[in-house]
Amino acid sequence: MSSEHMQIGEVAARTELSLRTIRHYEETGLVIPSARSQGGFRLYTEADVARLMVIRRMKPLGFTLDEMRALLDATDRLDSGEELPPDEREELLHRIRGFEQAAHKRVEDLRTQLARAEEFAATLGERLARSGPGRPRMPG
């Protein structure tokens, strides 16, 4: 096996994704192993790991598999090294800008949710502190 290739276990460790999740992304066509060993094991490259990292970063922001595929298709096309017609190149960049804007909006929404969750937890802590040691405490 070439030192350029990694088996799925190493990829899982590097990406912090489960084997099952990586296989699911393969089944959906988001990431296809670059090669197979003689024994049939999936083999991945650094480019495959980078692709999985894009997916891993999109998932907590609530992007769908189809949205992930659309972004990856656009970046694959731009990174192909092929000379693209200016209109196509601009359309691909426009699509990526749309994902960037959506990501920023979703991050801001998550920050709002986190602030509300932290406020709630602090309120519960204050409530417990007011209860004092001899008073009933909320189950925790």
Side-chain angles (χ1 to χ4, degrees), residues 2-53:
S2 164
S3 63
E4 298 173 3
H5 288 100
M6 296 164 269
Q7 289 189 2
I8 194 170
E10 182 180 348
V11 172
R14 289 191 49 196
T15 61
E16 299 177 347
L17 294 169
S18 70
L19 300 177
R20 181 178 177 186
T21 297
I22 294 170
R23 287 183 187 116
H24 173 69
Y25 291 148
E26 179 186 353
E27 290 167 9
T28 61
L30 287 175
V31 176
I32 305 299
S34 292
R36 293 265 182 177
S37 70
Q38 288 183 340
F41 294 106
R42 295 166 175 86
L43 298 176
Y44 298 87
T45 63
E46 288 297 331
D48 298 326
V49 171
R51 193 174 179 90
L52 283 164
M53 293 302 291

Side-chain angles (χ1 to χ4, degrees), residues 86-100:
D87 289 349
E88 181 180 355
R89 180 175 170 71
E90 190 51 44
E91 190 279 324
L92 292 168
L93 291 170
H94 178 73
R95 190 181 317 168
I96 293 170
R97 280 186 209 100
F99 279 104
E100 179 191 29

Side-chain angles (χ1 to χ4, degrees), residues 54 58 66-76 96 99:
V54 168
M58 291 180 80
D66 286 338
E67 289 170 323
M68 292 174 191
R69 186 174 295 104
L71 175 63
L72 291 167
D73 288 347
T75 57
D76 288 348
I96 293 170
F99 279 104

